[in-house]
Amino acid sequence: MTGLRAVPVGVGSYLPARVVTNDELAKTVDTTHEWIVERTGIHRRHIAAEGEMTSDLALNAAERALEMAEIGIGEIDLIVVATATPDQTFPSTATRVQDHLGMRHGFAFDVQAVCSGFVYALSVATQFIETGKARGAIVIGAETFSRILDWSDRATCVLFGDGAGALVLRGETGTGSTDDRGVLSTELRSDGAHNASLYVDGGPSTTGLAGHLRMNGREVFKHAVRNLAEIGEAALASANLSPADVRWVVPHQANARIIESTARKIGVEMDRVIVTVQDHANTSAASIPLALDVAVRDGRIRRGDLLLLEAMGGGFTWGGAAMRW
Ligand code: UT7
Protein backbone atom coordinates (compact mmCIF):
# COMPACT_ATOMS: atom_id res chain seq x y z
CA MET A 1 0.00 0.00 0.00
CA THR A 2 1.54 3.29 -1.05
CA GLY A 3 1.07 6.37 1.09
CA LEU A 4 2.79 9.46 2.37
CA ARG A 5 5.74 9.02 4.69
CA ALA A 6 7.23 11.71 6.95
CA VAL A 7 10.83 11.58 5.68
CA PRO A 8 13.73 13.25 7.56
CA VAL A 9 15.59 15.63 5.23
CA GLY A 10 17.56 17.79 7.65
CA VAL A 11 18.65 17.96 11.26
CA GLY A 12 20.25 20.73 13.26
CA SER A 13 21.02 21.69 16.82
CA TYR A 14 22.18 24.55 18.95
CA LEU A 15 23.88 24.72 22.34
CA PRO A 16 24.43 27.90 24.35
CA ALA A 17 28.09 28.96 24.43
CA ARG A 18 28.59 28.66 28.19
CA VAL A 19 29.79 25.23 29.38
CA VAL A 20 29.48 24.42 33.09
CA THR A 21 31.59 21.54 34.41
CA ASN A 22 30.82 19.32 37.39
CA ASP A 23 33.77 20.88 39.24
CA GLU A 24 32.22 24.30 38.77
CA LEU A 25 28.94 23.08 40.31
CA ALA A 26 30.88 21.52 43.20
CA LYS A 27 31.90 25.05 44.21
CA THR A 28 28.27 26.02 44.94
CA VAL A 29 26.55 22.76 46.05
CA ASP A 30 27.76 19.78 48.12
CA THR A 31 28.69 17.44 45.28
CA THR A 32 31.71 16.05 43.41
CA HIS A 33 32.62 15.38 39.79
CA GLU A 34 33.10 11.71 40.75
CA TRP A 35 29.59 11.35 42.25
CA ILE A 36 27.92 12.96 39.22
CA VAL A 37 29.88 10.84 36.71
CA GLU A 38 29.35 7.58 38.59
CA ARG A 39 25.58 8.05 39.11
CA THR A 40 24.70 9.79 35.81
CA GLY A 41 27.56 9.77 33.27
CA ILE A 42 27.32 13.58 33.04
CA HIS A 43 30.58 15.57 32.72
CA ARG A 44 29.34 18.99 31.60
CA ARG A 45 26.27 20.89 30.41
CA HIS A 46 25.55 24.08 28.43
CA ILE A 47 23.68 26.91 30.15
CA ALA A 48 21.83 29.70 28.32
CA ALA A 49 23.10 33.26 28.69
CA GLU A 50 21.01 35.88 30.41
CA GLY A 51 18.35 36.99 27.94
CA GLU A 52 18.86 33.92 25.72
CA MET A 53 15.43 32.30 25.41
CA THR A 54 14.10 28.89 24.41
CA SER A 55 12.88 30.40 21.11
CA ASP A 56 16.43 31.65 20.37
CA LEU A 57 17.86 28.14 20.81
CA ALA A 58 14.99 26.67 18.77
CA LEU A 59 15.44 29.18 15.94
CA ASN A 60 19.17 28.46 15.63
CA ALA A 61 18.55 24.71 15.54
CA ALA A 62 15.75 25.11 12.97
CA GLU A 63 17.92 27.27 10.69
CA ARG A 64 20.69 24.66 10.73
CA ALA A 65 18.22 21.86 9.97
CA LEU A 66 16.67 23.83 7.08
CA GLU A 67 20.18 24.47 5.71
CA MET A 68 20.92 20.73 5.66
CA ALA A 69 17.49 20.00 4.14
CA GLU A 70 18.15 22.54 1.36
CA ILE A 71 14.51 23.52 1.30
CA GLY A 72 12.91 26.91 1.69
CA ILE A 73 10.46 27.91 4.39
CA GLY A 74 7.76 27.96 1.67
CA GLU A 75 7.73 24.15 1.70
CA ILE A 76 7.11 24.03 5.47
CA ASP A 77 3.47 24.17 6.63
CA LEU A 78 3.91 23.17 10.26
CA ILE A 79 6.22 23.92 13.17
CA VAL A 80 5.88 21.90 16.37
CA VAL A 81 8.03 22.88 19.34
CA ALA A 82 8.30 20.41 22.20
CA THR A 83 9.15 22.35 25.34
CA ALA A 84 8.38 22.50 29.04
CA THR A 85 10.24 25.81 29.33
CA PRO A 86 8.49 28.17 26.89
CA ASP A 87 9.55 31.82 26.62
CA GLN A 88 6.19 32.92 28.01
CA THR A 89 2.98 31.29 29.25
CA PHE A 90 1.62 32.31 25.86
CA PRO A 91 1.96 32.76 22.91
CA SER A 92 3.52 29.42 22.04
CA THR A 93 7.27 29.28 21.47
CA ALA A 94 6.45 27.71 18.08
CA THR A 95 4.69 30.86 16.85
CA ARG A 96 7.70 32.93 17.95
CA VAL A 97 9.98 30.64 15.91
CA GLN A 98 7.52 30.87 12.99
CA ASP A 99 7.75 34.68 13.14
CA HIS A 100 11.57 34.70 13.33
CA LEU A 101 11.76 32.34 10.33
CA GLY A 102 9.58 34.77 8.36
CA MET A 103 6.93 32.09 7.78
CA ARG A 104 3.61 33.80 7.06
CA HIS A 105 1.53 30.71 6.23
CA GLY A 106 0.74 27.34 7.77
CA PHE A 107 0.47 26.76 11.52
CA ALA A 108 2.65 26.36 14.59
CA PHE A 109 2.06 25.14 18.14
CA ASP A 110 3.83 23.73 21.19
CA VAL A 111 3.59 20.21 22.61
CA GLN A 112 4.15 19.64 26.34
CA ALA A 113 5.25 16.16 27.37
CA VAL A 114 8.44 17.21 29.20
CA CYS A 115 11.33 14.82 28.38
CA SER A 116 9.13 12.77 26.02
CA GLY A 117 8.15 15.93 24.17
CA PHE A 118 10.23 15.35 21.05
CA VAL A 119 8.75 11.88 20.44
CA TYR A 120 5.24 13.26 21.04
CA ALA A 121 5.90 16.17 18.65
CA LEU A 122 7.35 13.81 16.03
CA SER A 123 4.26 11.64 16.29
CA VAL A 124 1.92 14.64 15.90
CA ALA A 125 3.83 16.06 12.91
CA THR A 126 3.91 12.62 11.28
CA GLN A 127 0.09 12.40 11.41
CA PHE A 128 -0.26 15.80 9.66
CA ILE A 129 2.20 14.78 6.95
CA GLU A 130 0.74 11.30 6.40
CA THR A 131 -2.77 12.77 6.02
CA GLY A 132 -1.50 15.42 3.58
CA LYS A 133 -2.45 18.30 5.90
CA ALA A 134 1.18 19.48 5.90
CA ARG A 135 3.72 19.05 3.10
CA GLY A 136 6.68 19.67 5.35
CA ALA A 137 7.24 20.18 9.08
CA ILE A 138 9.94 21.30 11.47
CA VAL A 139 9.87 19.35 14.71
CA ILE A 140 11.89 21.04 17.44
CA GLY A 141 12.84 20.10 20.99
CA ALA A 142 14.08 23.19 22.86
CA GLU A 143 14.60 23.81 26.56
CA THR A 144 16.10 26.23 29.07
CA PHE A 145 15.78 24.02 32.16
CA SER A 146 18.42 26.17 33.89
CA ARG A 147 15.58 28.68 34.47
CA ILE A 148 13.44 26.23 36.49
CA LEU A 149 16.18 24.53 38.51
CA ASP A 150 16.60 25.06 42.23
CA TRP A 151 20.34 25.77 42.15
CA SER A 152 20.61 24.94 45.86
CA ASP A 153 19.23 21.39 45.38
CA ARG A 154 22.18 19.12 44.55
CA ALA A 155 19.87 16.20 43.77
CA THR A 156 18.46 17.97 40.69
CA CYS A 157 20.62 20.95 39.65
CA VAL A 158 23.53 18.76 38.49
CA LEU A 159 21.34 16.74 36.12
CA PHE A 160 20.06 19.20 33.52
CA GLY A 161 21.29 21.47 30.73
CA ASP A 162 19.97 23.80 28.01
CA GLY A 163 19.86 23.24 24.25
CA ALA A 164 17.75 22.65 21.16
CA GLY A 165 17.51 20.24 18.25
CA ALA A 166 15.36 20.34 15.13
CA LEU A 167 14.31 17.84 12.48
CA VAL A 168 12.86 18.78 9.08
CA LEU A 169 10.35 16.27 7.73
CA ARG A 170 8.94 16.19 4.20
CA GLY A 171 6.00 14.20 2.88
CA GLU A 172 7.19 11.68 0.28
CA THR A 173 5.28 8.80 -1.29
CA GLY A 174 6.46 5.46 0.06
CA THR A 175 5.78 1.87 -0.90
CA GLY A 176 4.27 1.01 2.50
CA SER A 177 7.11 -1.40 3.30
CA THR A 178 9.57 -1.08 6.18
CA ASP A 179 12.27 -0.35 3.58
CA ASP A 180 10.73 3.11 3.14
CA ARG A 181 12.65 6.06 4.48
CA GLY A 182 10.77 8.09 7.10
CA VAL A 183 8.84 7.59 10.30
CA LEU A 184 7.62 3.98 10.29
CA SER A 185 5.79 3.98 13.62
CA THR A 186 5.26 5.97 16.80
CA GLU A 187 3.87 4.77 20.14
CA LEU A 188 2.89 7.12 22.97
CA ARG A 189 1.89 6.41 26.59
CA SER A 190 1.24 8.37 29.78
CA ASP A 191 0.16 7.65 33.34
CA GLY A 192 -0.86 10.68 35.39
CA ALA A 193 -0.78 8.65 38.62
CA HIS A 194 2.91 9.60 38.74
CA ASN A 195 2.49 13.41 38.53
CA ALA A 196 4.08 13.87 41.97
CA SER A 197 7.34 12.03 41.13
CA LEU A 198 8.57 14.72 38.74
CA TYR A 199 6.95 18.16 38.57
CA VAL A 200 7.45 21.91 38.79
CA ASP A 201 6.12 23.55 41.97
CA GLY A 202 4.55 26.49 40.18
CA GLY A 203 2.65 27.64 37.10
CA PRO A 204 0.12 30.23 35.87
CA SER A 205 -2.90 28.70 37.60
CA THR A 206 -1.25 27.69 40.89
CA THR A 207 1.41 30.09 42.20
CA GLY A 208 1.46 32.46 39.26
CA LEU A 209 5.23 31.91 39.07
CA ALA A 210 7.30 29.60 36.87
CA GLY A 211 8.36 27.47 39.88
CA HIS A 212 11.19 24.97 40.33
CA LEU A 213 11.71 21.37 39.23
CA ARG A 214 11.17 18.74 41.94
CA MET A 215 12.00 15.09 41.43
CA ASN A 216 11.97 11.82 43.29
CA GLY A 217 14.93 10.50 41.30
CA ARG A 218 14.78 6.96 42.64
CA GLU A 219 11.08 6.66 41.76
CA VAL A 220 11.65 7.95 38.20
CA PHE A 221 14.62 5.63 37.77
CA LYS A 222 12.53 2.62 38.86
CA HIS A 223 9.94 3.17 36.13
CA ALA A 224 12.28 4.46 33.44
CA VAL A 225 14.00 1.29 32.25
CA ARG A 226 10.80 -0.79 32.21
CA ASN A 227 8.77 1.88 30.40
CA LEU A 228 11.51 2.71 27.89
CA ALA A 229 12.16 -0.92 26.97
CA GLU A 230 8.43 -1.60 26.65
CA ILE A 231 7.81 1.42 24.41
CA GLY A 232 10.89 0.72 22.26
CA GLU A 233 9.74 -2.84 21.65
CA ALA A 234 6.18 -1.63 20.96
CA ALA A 235 7.35 0.93 18.39
CA LEU A 236 9.35 -1.76 16.58
CA ALA A 237 6.55 -4.35 16.75
CA SER A 238 3.95 -1.95 15.33
CA ALA A 239 6.19 -1.50 12.28
CA ASN A 240 6.81 -5.26 12.04
CA LEU A 241 10.44 -4.79 13.01
CA SER A 242 12.62 -6.35 15.69
CA PRO A 243 15.64 -5.12 17.74
CA ALA A 244 17.94 -6.96 15.32
CA ASP A 245 16.81 -4.56 12.55
CA VAL A 246 17.90 -1.48 14.52
CA ARG A 247 21.13 0.21 13.40
CA TRP A 248 21.05 2.98 16.04
CA VAL A 249 19.09 3.58 19.21
CA VAL A 250 18.81 7.34 19.83
CA PRO A 251 17.51 7.53 23.40
CA HIS A 252 16.52 10.41 25.64
CA GLN A 253 19.70 11.39 27.47
CA ALA A 254 18.87 11.53 31.20
CA ASN A 255 21.32 9.11 32.75
CA ALA A 256 23.94 6.77 31.27
CA ARG A 257 22.82 3.96 33.58
CA ILE A 258 19.22 4.22 32.32
CA ILE A 259 20.44 4.25 28.70
CA GLU A 260 22.62 1.15 29.24
CA SER A 261 20.00 -0.83 31.16
CA THR A 262 17.33 -0.05 28.57
CA ALA A 263 19.58 -1.09 25.68
CA ARG A 264 20.36 -4.36 27.50
CA LYS A 265 16.65 -5.02 28.10
CA ILE A 266 15.76 -4.36 24.45
CA GLY A 267 18.72 -6.50 23.35
CA VAL A 268 20.86 -3.90 21.54
CA GLU A 269 24.63 -3.64 22.19
CA MET A 270 25.98 -0.26 23.38
CA ASP A 271 27.99 0.13 20.16
CA ARG A 272 24.61 0.73 18.48
CA VAL A 273 23.46 3.42 20.94
CA ILE A 274 24.09 7.16 20.55
CA VAL A 275 25.18 8.65 23.90
CA THR A 276 25.64 12.40 24.43
CA VAL A 277 24.63 12.71 28.09
CA GLN A 278 28.29 13.27 29.09
CA ASP A 279 28.38 16.54 27.11
CA HIS A 280 24.79 17.83 27.25
CA ALA A 281 23.35 16.41 30.52
CA ASN A 282 19.56 16.06 30.44
CA THR A 283 18.15 18.65 28.03
CA SER A 284 14.62 17.24 28.30
CA ALA A 285 12.76 17.49 24.94
CA ALA A 286 15.93 18.65 23.20
CA SER A 287 18.03 15.61 24.03
CA ILE A 288 16.96 13.26 21.21
CA PRO A 289 17.27 15.75 18.31
CA LEU A 290 20.59 16.97 19.80
CA ALA A 291 21.92 13.39 19.84
CA LEU A 292 20.54 12.77 16.36
CA ASP A 293 22.32 15.85 15.01
CA VAL A 294 25.65 14.87 16.60
CA ALA A 295 25.51 11.35 15.11
CA VAL A 296 24.34 12.45 11.65
CA ARG A 297 27.05 15.11 11.38
CA ASP A 298 29.85 12.82 12.64
CA GLY A 299 28.85 10.22 10.03
CA ARG A 300 27.58 7.43 12.30
CA ILE A 301 23.95 7.72 11.18
CA ARG A 302 23.70 7.25 7.42
CA ARG A 303 20.90 7.32 4.88
CA GLY A 304 18.86 4.12 5.12
CA ASP A 305 19.78 3.34 8.76
CA LEU A 306 16.90 2.18 10.96
CA LEU A 307 16.67 4.31 14.11
CA LEU A 308 14.79 3.61 17.33
CA LEU A 309 13.98 6.69 19.42
CA GLU A 310 12.72 6.35 23.00
CA ALA A 311 12.04 8.81 25.83
CA MET A 312 10.39 9.14 29.21
CA GLY A 313 9.57 12.14 31.36
CA GLY A 314 7.28 13.88 33.82
CA GLY A 315 3.64 12.87 33.89
CA PHE A 316 4.81 10.18 33.50
CA THR A 317 4.88 10.32 29.72
CA TRP A 318 6.85 8.00 27.48
CA GLY A 319 7.13 7.33 23.78
CA GLY A 320 9.03 5.50 21.07
CA ALA A 321 9.46 5.84 17.32
CA ALA A 322 10.97 3.74 14.54
CA MET A 323 12.36 5.83 11.70
CA ARG A 324 14.49 5.04 8.66
CA TRP A 325 17.01 7.84 8.03
O1 UT7 B 1 14.35 12.71 32.05
C1 UT7 B 1 13.60 11.97 32.95
C2 UT7 B 1 13.78 12.52 34.30
N1 UT7 B 1 14.90 12.15 35.06
C3 UT7 B 1 15.50 10.95 35.15
O2 UT7 B 1 15.40 10.07 34.37
C4 UT7 B 1 16.36 10.78 36.37
C5 UT7 B 1 16.11 9.45 37.03
N2 UT7 B 1 16.87 9.27 38.23
C6 UT7 B 1 18.22 9.25 38.28
O3 UT7 B 1 18.89 9.42 37.29
C7 UT7 B 1 18.87 8.95 39.60
O4 UT7 B 1 17.91 8.53 40.52
C8 UT7 B 1 19.69 10.14 40.18
C9 UT7 B 1 20.90 10.39 39.31
C10 UT7 B 1 18.81 11.38 40.22
C11 UT7 B 1 20.16 9.82 41.59
O5 UT7 B 1 20.91 8.63 41.59
P1 UT7 B 1 20.62 7.49 42.69
O6 UT7 B 1 21.64 6.47 42.51
O7 UT7 B 1 19.17 7.10 42.51
O8 UT7 B 1 20.88 8.26 44.03
P2 UT7 B 1 19.85 8.56 45.21
O9 UT7 B 1 18.83 9.56 44.82
O10 UT7 B 1 19.39 7.26 45.74
O11 UT7 B 1 20.83 9.25 46.24
C12 UT7 B 1 21.94 8.56 46.79
C13 UT7 B 1 22.68 9.49 47.75
C14 UT7 B 1 21.77 10.21 48.72
O12 UT7 B 1 22.39 10.25 49.97
P3 UT7 B 1 21.94 9.24 51.14
O13 UT7 B 1 20.47 9.52 51.34
O14 UT7 B 1 22.20 7.86 50.59
O15 UT7 B 1 22.82 9.65 52.25
C15 UT7 B 1 21.69 11.62 48.16
O16 UT7 B 1 21.49 12.59 49.15
O17 UT7 B 1 23.35 10.50 47.00
C16 UT7 B 1 23.05 11.79 47.54
N3 UT7 B 1 23.08 12.76 46.46
C17 UT7 B 1 24.20 13.38 46.07
N4 UT7 B 1 25.48 13.28 46.50
C18 UT7 B 1 26.41 14.03 45.89
C19 UT7 B 1 22.06 13.19 45.68
N5 UT7 B 1 22.51 14.09 44.79
C20 UT7 B 1 23.83 14.23 45.01
C21 UT7 B 1 24.85 14.99 44.40
N6 UT7 B 1 26.11 14.85 44.87
N7 UT7 B 1 24.62 15.83 43.37
Side-chain angles (χ1 to χ4, degrees), residues 227-259:
N227 287 346
L228 288 166
E230 180 266 328
I231 206 73
E233 284 159 2
L236 290 172
S238 79
N240 287 318
L241 293 161
S242 76
D245 298 312
V246 175
R247 180 66 190 90
W248 294 108
V249 178
V250 188
H252 169 49
Q253 312 280 326
N255 182 316
R257 290 187 292 145
I258 295 177
I259 294 172

Short mmCIF file of all heavy atoms in Angstrom, two decimals, residues 227-259:
data_model
loop_
_atom_site.label_atom_id
_atom_site.label_comp_id
_atom_site.label_asym_id
_atom_site.label_seq_id
_atom_site.Cartn_x
_atom_site.Cartn_y
_atom_site.Cartn_z
N ASN A 227 9.61 1.17 31.36
CA ASN A 227 8.77 1.88 30.40
C ASN A 227 9.48 2.09 29.06
O ASN A 227 8.88 1.95 27.99
CB ASN A 227 8.38 3.26 30.95
CG ASN A 227 7.35 3.16 32.06
OD1 ASN A 227 6.74 2.11 32.25
ND2 ASN A 227 7.18 4.23 32.80
N LEU A 228 10.77 2.43 29.13
CA LEU A 228 11.51 2.71 27.89
C LEU A 228 11.69 1.44 27.06
O LEU A 228 11.54 1.48 25.83
CB LEU A 228 12.87 3.33 28.23
CG LEU A 228 12.79 4.77 28.75
CD1 LEU A 228 14.11 5.20 29.37
CD2 LEU A 228 12.40 5.73 27.63
N ALA A 229 12.00 0.33 27.72
CA ALA A 229 12.16 -0.92 26.97
C ALA A 229 10.83 -1.35 26.36
O ALA A 229 10.78 -1.73 25.18
CB ALA A 229 12.71 -2.01 27.90
N GLU A 230 9.76 -1.20 27.14
CA GLU A 230 8.43 -1.60 26.65
C GLU A 230 8.03 -0.77 25.43
O GLU A 230 7.56 -1.30 24.42
CB GLU A 230 7.41 -1.43 27.79
CG GLU A 230 5.97 -1.81 27.45
CD GLU A 230 5.11 -0.62 26.99
OE1 GLU A 230 5.33 0.51 27.43
OE2 GLU A 230 4.24 -0.86 26.13
N ILE A 231 8.27 0.54 25.50
CA ILE A 231 7.81 1.42 24.41
C ILE A 231 8.70 1.23 23.17
O ILE A 231 8.22 1.32 22.03
CB ILE A 231 7.75 2.90 24.86
CG1 ILE A 231 6.73 3.68 24.03
CG2 ILE A 231 9.09 3.59 24.81
CD1 ILE A 231 5.32 3.38 24.32
N GLY A 232 9.99 0.97 23.39
CA GLY A 232 10.89 0.72 22.26
C GLY A 232 10.46 -0.53 21.51
O GLY A 232 10.36 -0.54 20.27
N GLU A 233 10.18 -1.58 22.27
CA GLU A 233 9.74 -2.84 21.65
C GLU A 233 8.40 -2.66 20.95
O GLU A 233 8.18 -3.19 19.86
CB GLU A 233 9.66 -3.95 22.71
CG GLU A 233 11.04 -4.47 23.09
CD GLU A 233 11.08 -5.16 24.45
OE1 GLU A 233 10.03 -5.30 25.11
OE2 GLU A 233 12.20 -5.57 24.86
N ALA A 234 7.49 -1.87 21.56
CA ALA A 234 6.18 -1.63 20.96
C ALA A 234 6.29 -0.87 19.65
O ALA A 234 5.59 -1.18 18.67
CB ALA A 234 5.28 -0.88 21.94
N ALA A 235 7.18 0.13 19.62
CA ALA A 235 7.35 0.93 18.39
C ALA A 235 7.88 0.05 17.26
O ALA A 235 7.45 0.15 16.11
CB ALA A 235 8.29 2.11 18.64
N LEU A 236 8.81 -0.85 17.60
CA LEU A 236 9.35 -1.76 16.58
C LEU A 236 8.27 -2.75 16.12
O LEU A 236 8.07 -2.95 14.92
CB LEU A 236 10.55 -2.52 17.13
CG LEU A 236 11.82 -1.69 17.36
CD1 LEU A 236 12.87 -2.51 18.08
CD2 LEU A 236 12.36 -1.15 16.04
N ALA A 237 7.56 -3.34 17.08
CA ALA A 237 6.55 -4.35 16.75
C ALA A 237 5.46 -3.75 15.87
O ALA A 237 5.00 -4.39 14.91
CB ALA A 237 5.95 -4.93 18.03
N SER A 238 5.05 -2.51 16.12
CA SER A 238 3.95 -1.95 15.33
C SER A 238 4.39 -1.64 13.91
O SER A 238 3.56 -1.42 13.03
CB SER A 238 3.31 -0.75 16.02
OG SER A 238 4.08 0.38 15.85
N ALA A 239 5.70 -1.64 13.65
CA ALA A 239 6.19 -1.50 12.28
C ALA A 239 6.66 -2.84 11.72
O ALA A 239 7.32 -2.89 10.68
CB ALA A 239 7.33 -0.49 12.24
N ASN A 240 6.35 -3.92 12.43
CA ASN A 240 6.81 -5.26 12.04
C ASN A 240 8.32 -5.37 11.97
O ASN A 240 8.87 -6.00 11.05
CB ASN A 240 6.20 -5.68 10.69
CG ASN A 240 4.75 -6.02 10.82
OD1 ASN A 240 4.34 -6.69 11.79
ND2 ASN A 240 3.95 -5.53 9.89
N LEU A 241 8.98 -4.75 12.94
CA LEU A 241 10.44 -4.79 13.01
C LEU A 241 10.86 -5.40 14.35
O LEU A 241 10.05 -5.47 15.28
CB LEU A 241 11.00 -3.37 12.90
CG LEU A 241 10.80 -2.68 11.55
CD1 LEU A 241 10.97 -1.17 11.68
CD2 LEU A 241 11.77 -3.24 10.51
N SER A 242 12.12 -5.80 14.43
CA SER A 242 12.62 -6.35 15.69
C SER A 242 13.93 -5.64 16.07
O SER A 242 14.53 -4.96 15.22
CB SER A 242 12.87 -7.85 15.54
OG SER A 242 14.07 -8.05 14.82
N PRO A 243 14.39 -5.79 17.32
CA PRO A 243 15.64 -5.12 17.74
C PRO A 243 16.82 -5.44 16.81
O PRO A 243 17.71 -4.59 16.64
CB PRO A 243 15.87 -5.68 19.14
CG PRO A 243 14.49 -5.97 19.65
CD PRO A 243 13.72 -6.47 18.46
N ALA A 244 16.83 -6.61 16.20
CA ALA A 244 17.94 -6.96 15.32
C ALA A 244 18.00 -6.06 14.08
O ALA A 244 19.05 -5.91 13.46
CB ALA A 244 17.81 -8.42 14.89
N ASP A 245 16.85 -5.45 13.72
CA ASP A 245 16.81 -4.56 12.55
C ASP A 245 17.37 -3.18 12.84
O ASP A 245 17.64 -2.41 11.92
CB ASP A 245 15.35 -4.38 12.08
CG ASP A 245 14.72 -5.68 11.64
OD1 ASP A 245 15.36 -6.40 10.87
OD2 ASP A 245 13.58 -5.96 12.08
N VAL A 246 17.54 -2.85 14.13
CA VAL A 246 17.90 -1.48 14.52
C VAL A 246 19.39 -1.24 14.31
O VAL A 246 20.23 -1.97 14.83
CB VAL A 246 17.54 -1.23 16.01
CG1 VAL A 246 18.03 0.15 16.45
CG2 VAL A 246 16.04 -1.38 16.23
N ARG A 247 19.72 -0.18 13.55
CA ARG A 247 21.13 0.21 13.40
C ARG A 247 21.57 1.09 14.56
O ARG A 247 22.64 0.92 15.09
CB ARG A 247 21.33 0.93 12.05
CG ARG A 247 22.77 1.37 11.80
CD ARG A 247 23.70 0.17 11.65
NE ARG A 247 25.11 0.54 11.64
CZ ARG A 247 25.90 0.61 12.73
NH1 ARG A 247 25.41 0.35 13.92
NH2 ARG A 247 27.17 0.92 12.61
N TRP A 248 20.70 2.06 14.93
CA TRP A 248 21.05 2.98 16.04
C TRP A 248 19.85 3.22 16.94
O TRP A 248 18.77 3.56 16.46
CB TRP A 248 21.51 4.34 15.51
CG TRP A 248 22.80 4.30 14.76
CD1 TRP A 248 22.96 4.45 13.40
CD2 TRP A 248 24.12 4.11 15.30
NE1 TRP A 248 24.29 4.36 13.07
CE2 TRP A 248 25.02 4.15 14.23
CE3 TRP A 248 24.61 3.92 16.59
CZ2 TRP A 248 26.40 4.00 14.39
CZ3 TRP A 248 25.97 3.76 16.77
CH2 TRP A 248 26.85 3.81 15.68
N VAL A 249 20.06 3.07 18.24
CA VAL A 249 19.09 3.58 19.21
C VAL A 249 19.50 5.01 19.54
O VAL A 249 20.67 5.27 19.82
CB VAL A 249 19.07 2.73 20.51
CG1 VAL A 249 18.09 3.32 21.52
CG2 VAL A 249 18.71 1.28 20.19
N VAL A 250 18.54 5.94 19.45
CA VAL A 250 18.81 7.34 19.83
C VAL A 250 17.88 7.64 21.01
O VAL A 250 16.75 8.06 20.83
CB VAL A 250 18.57 8.31 18.66
CG1 VAL A 250 19.04 9.72 19.03
CG2 VAL A 250 19.25 7.83 17.39
N PRO A 251 18.38 7.39 22.24
CA PRO A 251 17.51 7.53 23.40
C PRO A 251 17.52 8.93 23.99
O PRO A 251 18.44 9.71 23.75
CB PRO A 251 18.14 6.55 24.41
CG PRO A 251 19.60 6.59 24.08
CD PRO A 251 19.72 6.90 22.60
N HIS A 252 16.49 9.21 24.79
CA HIS A 252 16.52 10.41 25.64
C HIS A 252 17.73 10.30 26.56
O HIS A 252 18.03 9.23 27.08
CB HIS A 252 15.23 10.50 26.45
CG HIS A 252 15.27 11.54 27.52
ND1 HIS A 252 15.68 12.83 27.27
CD2 HIS A 252 14.98 11.49 28.84
CE1 HIS A 252 15.63 13.52 28.39
NE2 HIS A 252 15.22 12.73 29.37
N GLN A 253 18.44 11.41 26.73
CA GLN A 253 19.70 11.39 27.47
C GLN A 253 19.49 11.95 28.88
O GLN A 253 19.68 13.14 29.11
CB GLN A 253 20.75 12.23 26.72
CG GLN A 253 20.85 11.93 25.23
CD GLN A 253 21.67 10.68 24.93
OE1 GLN A 253 22.63 10.39 25.63
NE2 GLN A 253 21.30 9.95 23.90
N ALA A 254 19.06 11.09 29.81
CA ALA A 254 18.87 11.53 31.20
C ALA A 254 19.99 11.02 32.08
O ALA A 254 20.49 11.73 32.95
CB ALA A 254 17.53 11.06 31.73
N ASN A 255 20.39 9.77 31.84
CA ASN A 255 21.32 9.11 32.75
C ASN A 255 21.94 7.92 32.01
O ASN A 255 21.21 7.10 31.45
CB ASN A 255 20.52 8.64 33.98
CG ASN A 255 21.39 8.00 35.03
OD1 ASN A 255 22.27 7.20 34.72
ND2 ASN A 255 21.14 8.34 36.27
N ALA A 256 23.26 7.84 32.00
CA ALA A 256 23.94 6.77 31.27
C ALA A 256 23.52 5.39 31.75
O ALA A 256 23.41 4.45 30.96
CB ALA A 256 25.46 6.94 31.42
N ARG A 257 23.23 5.27 33.06
CA ARG A 257 22.82 3.96 33.58
C ARG A 257 21.45 3.55 33.04
O ARG A 257 21.22 2.38 32.76
CB ARG A 257 22.80 3.99 35.12
CG ARG A 257 24.20 4.07 35.73
CD ARG A 257 24.13 3.92 37.23
NE ARG A 257 23.48 5.06 37.86
CZ ARG A 257 22.70 5.01 38.94
NH1 ARG A 257 22.46 3.86 39.53
NH2 ARG A 257 22.17 6.10 39.45
N ILE A 258 20.54 4.52 32.90
CA ILE A 258 19.22 4.22 32.32
C ILE A 258 19.39 3.82 30.85
O ILE A 258 18.77 2.85 30.38
CB ILE A 258 18.26 5.44 32.44
CG1 ILE A 258 17.97 5.75 33.91
CG2 ILE A 258 16.98 5.20 31.65
CD1 ILE A 258 17.10 6.99 34.13
N ILE A 259 20.23 4.54 30.13
CA ILE A 259 20.44 4.25 28.70
C ILE A 259 21.00 2.84 28.53
O ILE A 259 20.52 2.06 27.69
CB ILE A 259 21.40 5.31 28.08
CG1 ILE A 259 20.73 6.69 28.08
CG2 ILE A 259 21.83 4.90 26.67
CD1 ILE A 259 21.66 7.84 27.67
#
